[in-house]
Amino acid sequence: RLFDLSKAKEDRFNLMKATHCNFSDIYSLYMDDGGEEETLDILGLAQREQPVSELTDEAGLTHRLWAITDAGIVSAIQRRFTDTKLYIADGHHRYETALRYRDTLREQGILDTDAEYVMMMLVEMSHPGLVVFPTHRMIRDVKNFDAAKLLADSAAAVILCVDTGFKAAYPSAYTGQQIDAFIAQMKEWNDGQL
């Protein structure tokens, strides 16, 4: 049977109801139309303050969290992203669950809460460190399943990497070529618009 995330979505919904919290951000991509410096400058202003939290994880990576409370900076960020399309790279089910949670509160007459917002990480599509890996799914116990037919039928739409590893089979994923290919595909799917 095809892997189904409805149980995971229900679990996350119940967790949100119990805690009134987002525990995991939604990973979204956006295309910058030349205003990246403006965005980075705004964030640079926020980073002039001391972080509200800083920790080093078990791998030695330092994580810092800043709270942007200056109304002018918040307003500038909002203006910067007003007409920017966001593409969810990871977190479709978290987003759907957050909307369900918000709608549940609205139906109960609970309005103007933090449930009107969702935690999201925004990454510019041309950022040199951007790599998005696929989620793997398992198909089991499908009556009359024919793996060879599935592979043949999906060959035009799928990059197949067998026993070679992703990086070895598709090295351009680690260069700007992958970004250009991704943008071209997004435009194709959106009738030339991005």
Side-chain angles (χ1 to χ4, degrees), residues 49-64:
E49 302 296 325
Q50 289 295 319
V52 295
S53 181
E54 182 173 335
L55 63 97
T56 302
D57 65 21
E58 61 278 355
L61 184 63
T62 301
H63 302 267
R64 294 180 185 95

Side-chain angles (χ1 to χ4, degrees), residues 150-164:
L150 173 67
L151 294 175
D153 291 349
S154 58
V158 175
I159 298 169
L160 181 62
C161 305
V162 180
D163 296 330
T164 60

Side-chain angles (χ1 to χ4, degrees), residues 11 17 24 58 93 128 133:
D11 288 347
K17 285 193 314 185
S24 184
E58 61 278 355
H93 297 104
F133 293 105

Side-chain angles (χ1 to χ4, degrees), residues 9-161:
K9 286 167 55 175
E10 191 65 28
D11 288 347
R12 182 170 297 274
F13 178 69
N14 289 331
L15 181 64
M16 291 182 84
K17 285 193 314 185
T19 63
H20 311 289
C21 291
N22 283 299
F23 287 99
S24 184
D25 58 13
I26 295 164
Y27 182 9
S28 294
L29 305 172
Y30 69 95
M31 277 192 66
D32 205 322
D33 57 0
E36 182 177 4
E37 293 303 317
E38 176 187 339
T39 303
L40 293 176
D41 288 343
I42 293 168
L43 296 178
L45 289 173
Q47 291 174 345
R48 288 182 184 171
E49 302 296 325
Q50 289 295 319
V52 295
S53 181
E54 182 173 335
L55 63 97
T56 302
D57 65 21
E58 61 278 355
L61 184 63
T62 301
H63 302 267
R64 294 180 185 95
L65 175 68
W66 283 268
I68 301 175
T69 58
D70 182 292
I73 295 174
V74 170
S75 179
I77 294 170
Q78 288 173 330
R79 284 192 310 273
R80 170 62 190 86
F81 284 98
T82 296
D83 295 322
T84 302
K85 289 184 181 180
L86 303 178
Y87 301 91
I88 298 176
D90 182 44
H92 299 84
H93 297 104
R94 289 189 297 274
Y95 183 69
E96 291 172 9
T97 302
L99 292 178
R100 179 180 170 202
Y101 175 68
R102 179 207 60 194
D103 293 345
T104 298
L105 292 180
R106 286 179 177 177
E107 289 168 6
Q108 296 170 0
I110 304 170
L111 306 173
D112 297 320
T113 69
D114 290 340
E116 298 294 324
Y117 305 93
V118 67
M119 185 168 51
M120 186 175 288
M121 176 179 68
L122 302 174
V123 178
E124 208 282 322
M125 282 189 198
S126 65
H127 189 282
L130 173 64
V131 177
V132 179
F133 293 105
T135 299
H136 296 83
R137 302 285 187 243
M138 294 181 67
I139 301 173
R140 293 185 267 187
D141 304 324
V142 177
K143 188 175 181 178
N144 300 322
F145 178 72
D146 183 344
K149 181 174 180 353
L150 173 67
L151 294 175
D153 291 349
S154 58
V158 175
I159 298 169
L160 181 62
C161 305

